[in-house]
Amino acid sequence: MLDNKQIKWLEAEAVNSATTRQPLYAARKKVFPKRASGRFRQFKWLVMAITLGIYYLTPWLRWDRGAFAPDQAVLIDLANRRFYFFFIEIWPQEFYYVAGLLVMAGVGLFLLTSTIGRAWCGYTCPQTVWVDLFLVVERAVEGDRNARMKLDAAPWTARKLVLRASKHAIWLVIAVATGGAWIFYFADAPRLLGEVATGTTAPVAYVTIGVLTGTTYLFGGLMREQVCTYMCPWPRIQAAMLDENSLTVTYNDWRGEPRSRHAKKALAAGLPVGDCVDCKACVAVCPMGVDIRDGQQLECITCALCIDACDNIMDKLGRERGLISYATLSDYNTNMAIATAGGTHPIDPTLVRTAGGAFSDKLTHFHVHKISRPRTFVYIGLWSLVGIGLLFSLMTRNRLQVNVLHDRNPQFVTLSDGSIRNGYTVKLLNMTPEPRTIVVTMQGLEGAQMNLVGSDLPAGRSFAIPVEPDRLKTLKIFVRQPANQLRGQTQTFTFVANDQAGLESDRYIATFNAPETTR
């Protein structure tokens, strides 16, 4: 290995160290992550732009549902108990779709963790995304790691006060925008924005903005890594999701040890030298304050910024990238056995390389088929099964429903001509954003006729009822059967509801009660 004077050795110590655990109630030690550059950092920028764009812009997307429904593409309409998602409309009784999506999200998280580790935590978790955003502001205002550390240690001056006030002011603007964006999912966004600006909206909107502003500012700006370490349950759960074939960010000490900042001198002295120059660049860029060289730790969110930092150092030294890389425990153990001659002596870097300096052919490297194991296919199968079931149900669901409630008291009435009358409350649900004419027909119950209470329509076995869009129509119906047509104390018949202009229909089997003497 060649020494390179361009490499900067950083005095960075791990705040969250696997070798020295901090007391649970110790005061927070600030983490000043250095800005990283590389493919994983670029990928995190892309993910941050996409996720923040989705969150802030979605309430402003429009979707034409006609004149009788809101045109906001994604809307949780609590007042009317509806959930709109583009062309999909979910009613309260269809909440099982939301439950199904939550099941898919859970299974998807299990699948993701079992294959590529805590990728959710490192890239798409809201805490990670907003902390990244707050760090962008912090670096823009106060500078990178060294400048921020010096500013933090410096006494209060006018300059420090201005920088700190500017940073926190921008953080508060972001926090307010975060809380404000959330409430736009629950009402028409343009109208609600005007009401919020003029102070005419409901108090709950301001309370929601205040709560989310406070939590965003506190979690993203002040607590940061403590949320992941102490508040989030997932670091504790993830251990059950990982196995020897799961990808995790790994320091490959089988090629990195023994560490040396002066490789030439060590080699001249006949000492073994690994690829790690102990520059601590991996520690300096870690937003969690972790030294990945200590091994897997609860605090590590596998954001892979340490990989970028280490790869940059390896490039300067003319060494192969991957001293820190995504690897499986199975591959790591195989390579470690080679580097230690089966565990009989300490790591010897010469055992993993040929005489020419290239890596030995005996080393094992990651291949995608290693994560394609039965467990992976079980998760994929379960996730797909739930998704296909939801999709099939969504595509075949009936947007017309009829529900019937028999009068409890009295169960029946004997009229002057001896005929028996039963009362029913019939509810017609039009689940489309357009008006419909629903034909209610009675099937069965020989000789019986219906009367629609409050209507001038003559008695009959069928009525055409107009129903408003996205509304429930409640009817009071009397069913009368002549005495000579009665067939027992209890008979069943069917209310059938048909869309006059379409193919949808629904039916409900009802009961007709009569006195015992009619048997």
Side-chain angles (χ1 to χ4, degrees), residues 150-466:
K150 289 180 181 179
L151 182 67
D152 189 69
W156 282 97
T157 61
R159 177 179 177 273
K160 181 174 181 179
L161 182 62
V162 170
L163 291 178
R164 286 291 168 89
S166 301
K167 178 183 72 173
H168 286 277
I170 299 174
W171 281 359
L172 283 172
V173 170
I174 295 173
V176 171
T178 301
W182 179 251
I183 68 171
F184 293 144
Y185 283 89
F186 295 87
D188 182 67
R191 176 181 57 81
L192 183 57
L193 177 61
E195 293 178 353
V196 170
T198 57
T200 57
T201 192
V204 67
Y206 296 107
V207 172
T208 302
I209 293 175
V211 171
L212 291 180
T213 296
T215 52
T216 303
Y217 174 77
L218 181 64
F219 293 166
L222 304 182
M223 295 183 65
R224 295 185 180 176
E225 75 286 346
Q226 289 186 305
V227 174
C228 305
T229 303
Y230 299 110
M231 297 176 63
C232 181
W234 189 240
R236 282 87 179 163
I237 299 173
Q238 67 154 342
M241 299 290 103
L242 300 174
D243 60 24
E244 66 276 5
N245 292 311
S246 302
L247 274 178
T248 58
V249 174
T250 305
Y251 168 63
N252 296 307
D253 48 2
W254 50 266
R255 61 167 281 196
E257 301 294 325
R259 308 170 194 174
S260 175
R261 293 192 175 189
H262 307 286
K264 285 184 177 180
K265 294 181 180 179
L267 288 173
L271 299 175
V273 175
D275 286 352
C276 180
V277 295
D278 200 22
C279 63
K280 296 188 177 179
C282 56
V283 181
V285 301
C286 181
M288 297 296 295
V290 170
D291 189 342
I292 191 63
R293 297 173 300 174
D294 291 338
Q296 287 297 309
Q297 300 159 66
L298 176 148
E299 294 84 2
C300 178
I301 60 173
T302 66
C303 63
L305 295 181
C306 54
I307 297 180
D308 284 339
C310 188
D311 283 349
N312 290 334
I313 298 299
M314 292 297 104
D315 289 344
K316 292 179 179 180
L317 293 174
R319 286 290 184 176
E320 301 90 341
R321 291 185 168 194
L323 176 57
I324 302 176
S325 66
Y326 272 102
T328 66
L329 179 61
S330 176
D331 291 344
Y332 172 84
N333 288 337
T334 299
N335 295 337
M336 181 61 79
I338 296 173
T340 59
T344 57
H345 58 71
I347 296 173
D348 185 351
T350 62
L351 296 179
V352 299
R353 295 185 182 273
T354 63
F359 280 126
S360 170
D361 293 337
K362 297 179 181 179
L363 293 174
T364 303
H365 301 284
F366 172 75
H367 192 275
V368 68
H369 72 81
K370 294 183 180 180
I371 62 174
S372 302
R373 54 200 191 278
R375 178 181 180 180
T376 304
F377 293 116
V378 169
Y379 285 140
I380 293 176
L382 181 58
W383 186 87
S384 302
L385 185 63
V386 175
I388 292 173
L390 289 177
L391 184 61
F392 177 79
S393 175
L394 188 66
M395 299 302 293
T396 59
R397 63 179 178 164
N398 196 352
R399 311 311 291 150
L400 170 63
Q401 291 184 7
V402 58
N403 190 33
V404 179
L405 181 64
H406 193 291
D407 287 354
R408 293 187 176 183
N409 188 19
Q411 290 283 317
F412 58 87
V413 173
T414 303
L415 302 180
S416 58
D417 61 357
S419 60
I420 303 301
R421 187 185 74 186
N422 282 205
Y424 302 87
T425 300
V426 178
K427 296 182 179 181
L428 302 176
L429 182 59
N430 177 17
M431 303 172 70
T432 62
E434 57 186 22
R436 305 167 93 178
T437 298
I438 308 300
V439 179
V440 180
T441 305
M442 183 176 63
Q443 293 182 352
L445 205 63
E446 185 178 352
Q449 288 188 324
M450 297 187 297
N451 285 97
L452 185 58
V453 178
S455 172
D456 296 332
L457 295 174
R461 294 182 64 86
S462 181
F463 297 113
I465 309 296

Side-chain angles (χ1 to χ4, degrees), residues 39-88:
R39 50 181 176 157
F40 291 106
R41 178 64 266 183
Q42 292 175 353
F43 181 67
K44 280 175 67 66
W45 289 134
L46 177 62
V47 171
M48 185 174 75
I50 292 174
T51 51
L52 289 176
I54 291 174
Y55 177 73
Y56 287 117
L57 298 179
T58 297
W60 303 95
L61 299 178
R62 303 292 101 181
W63 188 268
D64 186 12
R65 299 186 182 90
F68 302 99
D71 63 352
Q72 187 163 310
V74 179
L75 176 63
I76 304 172
D77 189 355
L78 295 179
N80 296 303
R81 292 175 292 180
R82 306 282 191 279
F83 171 55
Y84 298 96
F85 184 81
F86 293 92
F87 64 92
I88 300 172

